[in-house]
Amino acid sequence: MRLDEELQGIGSVGIAGHIRPDGDCVGSCLSVYNYITTYFPQIDVDVILEPIPTIFHFLQGAHEIKEAHEVKKNYDLFLVLDCGDANRLGDAVAFFENAKRTICIDHHVSNQSFADKNHIVSSASSTCELVYGVLDADKITKEIAECIYTGMVHDTGVFQYSCTAKSTMEIAGVLMEKGIDYPSIIDKTFYEKTYAQNRILGQALLKSRLYEEAKCIATVITQEEMAEFGVLPKHLDGIVNQLRVTKDVEVAIFLYGLEEGSYKVSTRCKGDVVDLSKIAVKYHGGGHKKAAGFTMEGNNPWELVDRIVSDVKEQL
Ligand SMILES: [Mn+2]
């Protein structure tokens, strides 16, 4: 797929990614947005996402992102990036349904190719890596490079997870030559945490429990704890990864309270023994073999943990 070709004769483009946008979602949406505004100024283009984490506000176009309720339009072309199914678009799903034509670019293994045209590569490190492949490399500006690089950094855990391929490093190398401040992007968007975030991480680790002869680790953060520590759900990124690096642990499970009686579950694993995307699909979520998420209903989060652990046990 070449984006330049897909844009021929198109008057308006909407771009959206998944709810609770992460680095790859924001990076892929904004890289395409900046590419279109730079090289196709005649096209009317919008990015529609839920509010993005402030760490990504430095990216070009971040302040032009719209929320679904602000937009009343039908697009000629609607681009769905880093989103495994239409429901994960949240309120932006209406634009997807009303668009004349839709394209999905994604790397979620659970993606069922739900758009008119689909470019799905589940082995790709990130949607940003796939976006790089559909753009004209010579036209990637420093600002576009920052968006793509940020997404790659976040979905690879700074080029560490096994999804990181030779191509990932080669593309990152090309992006570095565009003059981006890569040490700062990594530090400011990936590693830097607020004092409150470090404290809630400490709380999560203190409460963690081991299961299945210490092959599984799980922890829970309730809504009450989030209020007590002064954090929001978006500040809990990184907790499940810290659980994952526990010595000898295969699977890490992290739950946090959403509204009453509902919990968001994030899971991570190390080896090839467990396929977490299968467990996520069972609970109507999605993701990858080694990183997946879903929502569960229940009043006792530790009982929910028991259910997930028994799902893991079936695969161990
Ligand atoms: Mn992604």
Side-chain angles (χ1 to χ4, degrees):
M1 187 187 295
R2 309 297 314 158
L3 188 66
D4 287 19
E5 287 169 23
E6 304 296 338
L7 294 173
Q8 293 309 313
I10 294 285
S12 62
V13 176
I15 304 167
H18 61 75
I19 51 172
R20 291 189 282 273
D22 61 7
D24 190 32
C25 173
V26 175
S28 55
C29 289
L30 287 178
S31 58
V32 172
Y33 175 78
N34 290 324
Y35 188 87
I36 295 174
T37 55
T38 305
Y39 297 107
F40 298 84
Q42 74 281 11
I43 295 179
D44 173 28
V45 55
D46 295 314
V47 177
I48 303 159
L49 289 172
E50 291 185 349
I52 65 168
T54 52
I55 49 172
F56 302 125
H57 281 181
F58 77 99
L59 295 171
Q60 187 179 53
H63 297 285
E64 289 143 44
I65 296 174
K66 296 183 166 86
E67 287 188 63
H69 66 85
E70 297 175 77
V71 187
K72 298 263 177 296
K73 265 184 220 176
N74 289 334
Y75 296 99
D76 290 344
L77 175 64
F78 199 71
L79 292 169
V80 181
L81 305 176
D82 198 40
C83 185
D85 73 83
N87 290 326
R88 293 255 298 152
L89 285 167
D91 292 338
V93 71
F95 304 106
F96 172 80
E97 284 164 354
N98 294 326
K100 285 187 193 149
R101 187 173 146 73
T102 59
I103 293 178
C104 180
I105 302 175
D106 187 31
H107 68 133
H108 289 91
V109 65
S110 48
N111 194 308
Q112 301 283 328
S113 296
F114 57 94
D116 297 329
K117 188 164 184 177
N118 299 279
H119 180 46
I120 317 296
V121 184
S122 62
S123 60
S125 69
S126 51
T127 298
C128 278
E129 183 170 338
L130 295 175
V131 164
Y132 177 90
V134 304
L135 303 182
D136 185 340
D138 294 337
K139 293 201 242 169
I140 292 177
T141 61
K142 179 186 171 210
E143 289 74 20
I144 296 168
E146 285 172 342
C147 297
I148 299 174
Y149 188 86
T150 299
M152 291 172 70
V153 161
H154 278 257
D155 264 24
T156 61
V158 193
F159 307 108
Q160 182 218 336
Y161 305 149
S162 59
C163 62
T164 309
K166 184 174 175 232
S167 59
T168 319
M169 305 307 277
E170 285 170 347
I171 294 165
V174 173
L175 299 175
M176 287 163 77
E177 288 195 321
K178 301 282 183 181
I180 63 173
D181 187 352
Y182 45 90
S184 162
I185 290 175
I186 293 170
D187 228 18
K188 294 284 180 195
T189 73
F190 194 86
Y191 288 113
E192 197 170 273
K193 301 288 175 204
T194 64
Y195 179 61
Q197 280 180 302
N198 274 335
R199 289 190 72 235
I200 198 89
L201 169 65
Q203 172 79 349
L205 298 177
L206 280 170
K207 288 176 69 187
S208 65
R209 299 179 189 176
L210 294 170
Y211 296 83
E212 294 303 309
E213 294 162 339
K215 284 199 169 60
C216 287
I217 189 166
T219 196
V220 172
I221 291 292
T222 63
Q223 282 205 306
E224 293 72 29
E225 286 168 313
M226 283 189 254
E228 181 191 337
F229 285 79
V231 295
L232 297 169
K234 65 182 179 184
H235 300 129
L236 304 175
D237 286 356
I239 290 179
V240 72
N241 282 321
Q242 191 60 43
L243 293 174
R244 187 189 68 91
V245 297
T246 310
K247 187 174 179 334
D248 298 330
V249 156
E250 274 294 325
V251 176
I253 301 162
F254 173 52
L255 276 71
Y256 67 82
L258 297 170
E259 65 271 21
E260 202 59 51
S262 169
Y263 287 84
K264 174 73 173 54
V265 184
S266 298
T267 57
R268 297 287 185 278
C269 71
K270 282 177 186 163
D272 286 321
V273 189
V274 177
D275 182 347
L276 294 172
S277 69
K278 286 184 184 162
I279 297 174
V281 165
K282 176 176 170 183
Y283 296 106
H284 311 291
H288 316 276
K289 275 187 176 178
K290 294 186 179 177
F294 48 95
T295 303
M296 287 177 94
E297 312 293 324
N299 288 313
N300 183 344
W302 292 104
E303 281 177 18
L304 302 177
V305 168
D306 288 338
R307 285 169 59 188
I308 303 160
V309 168
S310 66
D311 291 324
V312 170
K313 194 179 168 184
E314 281 178 22
Q315 291 190 37
L316 273 175

